[in-house]
Amino acid sequence: NVVASAKSCFAVRTHVHSASRLGRRLLSHRGQTHGWDQHIPTSLWEKMFIASSSAVGALRNPERADLVAALGDTTGVPALRNIRRRMLSDESGRQILKEKPILRDFVELEKMGSYKEGSLGRAYFEFMSSRGFSPQERPCVRFVDDPELAYIMLRYREVHDFVHVLTGLGTSVEGEIVQKWFELLQTGLPVCLLSATVGPLRISVSDRVRLATEWVPWALRASVQVPFFMNLYYEKLLDRDIENVKNFPLSFTLPF
């Protein structure tokens, strides 16, 4: 019993020391702004610790983008591998993975208003500027070990607002819930499930009924009827008519 107790105490001290080490590494990376080259090496235990603590924190405060991002980094690898497979099977997806464009480096929002009315670039400008959003706001990717998978995670975060523009879903609680269901069904990323399931706690009972009977079925139909959004090279489509960018017949209408 004494030996077992000593081993247990040693394990606790080891975990505390590892968490402390991790905290120091996190602090040392503060202030760095680029998205997919800020890798922080972490052990399996540290990833589990980050995932669990981030999940608890994000459940308490879903507005904490840093916690949601950390949860996504530490739980998303299997889904990211599947996204890579789908991108490699598509010509545009392969080009994106080869060139690895960084949206925050490419897009100058103040210049986007010069695109013609009805273009993707103009629609994106109007969506972002009307809400005070910036492409630079997306969190960095820090805990995905594979550099290409880390880039895919950043790409997913950066094109989120383009998905809003293409689907017509707004940024209300209802709109974000439906979009997260859509993203979950297209990507399989577990972090989408957090918003898709926690978000409904913030809406009325009648809207929860609509979520189950209208919104989720809409997201399911949309996810299989539209192209895989990760395969769209948005930077090269900004001057295109937004309806041509969609390039598919929408046989569904928005649920609200």
Side-chain angles (χ1 to χ4, degrees):
N1 290 339
V2 173
V3 173
S5 177
K7 287 182 178 179
S8 176
C9 289
F10 175 76
V12 170
R13 286 198 301 271
T14 301
H15 288 173
V16 170
H17 179 64
S18 296
S20 177
R21 269 202 334 266
L22 176 60
R24 288 195 297 272
R25 290 209 301 275
L26 292 176
L27 288 172
S28 71
H29 280 72
R30 282 184 176 177
Q32 298 177 336
T33 58
H34 226 51
W36 62 285
D37 56 358
Q38 298 304 308
H39 178 240
I40 301 177
T42 47
S43 66
L44 177 60
W45 181 86
E46 287 171 330
K47 284 183 174 62
M48 292 171 62
F49 174 80
I50 294 167
S52 58
S53 58
S54 297
V56 171
L59 284 170
R60 291 176 177 172
N61 185 3
E63 304 299 324
R64 286 284 302 274
D66 57 331
L67 296 178
V68 175
L71 180 62
D73 286 1
T74 50
T75 61
V77 169
L80 291 171
R81 288 175 180 152
N82 186 53
I83 293 171
R84 176 168 60 184
R85 179 186 59 78
R86 294 185 65 181
M87 293 180 75
L88 288 172
S89 67
D90 179 85
E91 182 179 356
S92 179
R94 287 194 298 272
Q95 188 178 12
I96 292 169
L97 289 180
K98 180 181 179 181
E99 298 177 1
K100 293 183 173 58
I102 304 295
L103 193 65
R104 67 185 69 186
D105 292 343
F106 181 87
V107 171
E108 295 183 51
L109 196 59
E110 61 275 10
K111 295 181 179 180
M112 300 282 280
S114 63
Y115 283 99
K116 64 182 180 181
E117 192 73 32
S119 66
L120 175 63
R122 182 64 173 270
Y124 179 75
F125 166 77
E126 292 173 352
F127 176 88
M128 298 291 281
S129 61
S130 66
R131 293 166 171 81
F133 293 168
S134 168
Q136 282 71 38
E137 293 174 349
R138 293 299 170 186
C140 297
V141 179
R142 295 183 293 175
F143 306 115
V144 179
D145 297 328
D146 183 306
E148 190 166 63
L149 297 184
Y151 169 75
I152 291 172
M153 177 60 86
L154 176 67
R155 183 70 177 176
Y156 159 73
R157 291 174 185 164
E158 288 198 326
V159 304
H160 172 82
D161 291 315
F162 274 107
V163 178
H164 272 293
V165 172
L166 290 178
T167 60
L169 292 166
T171 54
S172 64
V173 174
E174 295 85 355
E176 291 290 359
I177 292 171
V178 177
Q179 178 149 320
K180 282 304 177 183
W181 274 103
F182 171 78
E183 292 177 357
L184 173 64
L185 292 165
Q186 278 219 336
T187 68
L189 284 167
V191 71
C192 296
L193 189 61
L194 176 71
S195 299
T197 54
V198 173
L201 301 178
R202 303 167 62 190
I203 60 178
S204 66
V205 174
S206 60
D207 279 344
R208 290 177 201 169
V209 173
R210 292 186 66 197
L211 174 66
T213 59
E214 299 177 36
W215 302 349
V216 173
W218 179 92
L220 179 59
R221 292 195 304 275
S223 68
V224 297
Q225 289 179 5
V226 307
F228 186 40
F229 70 85
M230 291 292 290
N231 283 337
L232 292 177
Y233 207 140
Y234 299 93
E235 294 88 340
K236 295 187 176 183
L237 301 171
L238 295 174
D239 62 343
R240 303 278 186 87
D241 186 280
I242 190 169
E243 295 302 323
N244 292 334
V245 172
K246 292 177 181 179
N247 197 30
F248 50 81
L250 289 178
S251 59
F252 52 84
T253 55
L254 292 177
F256 47 81

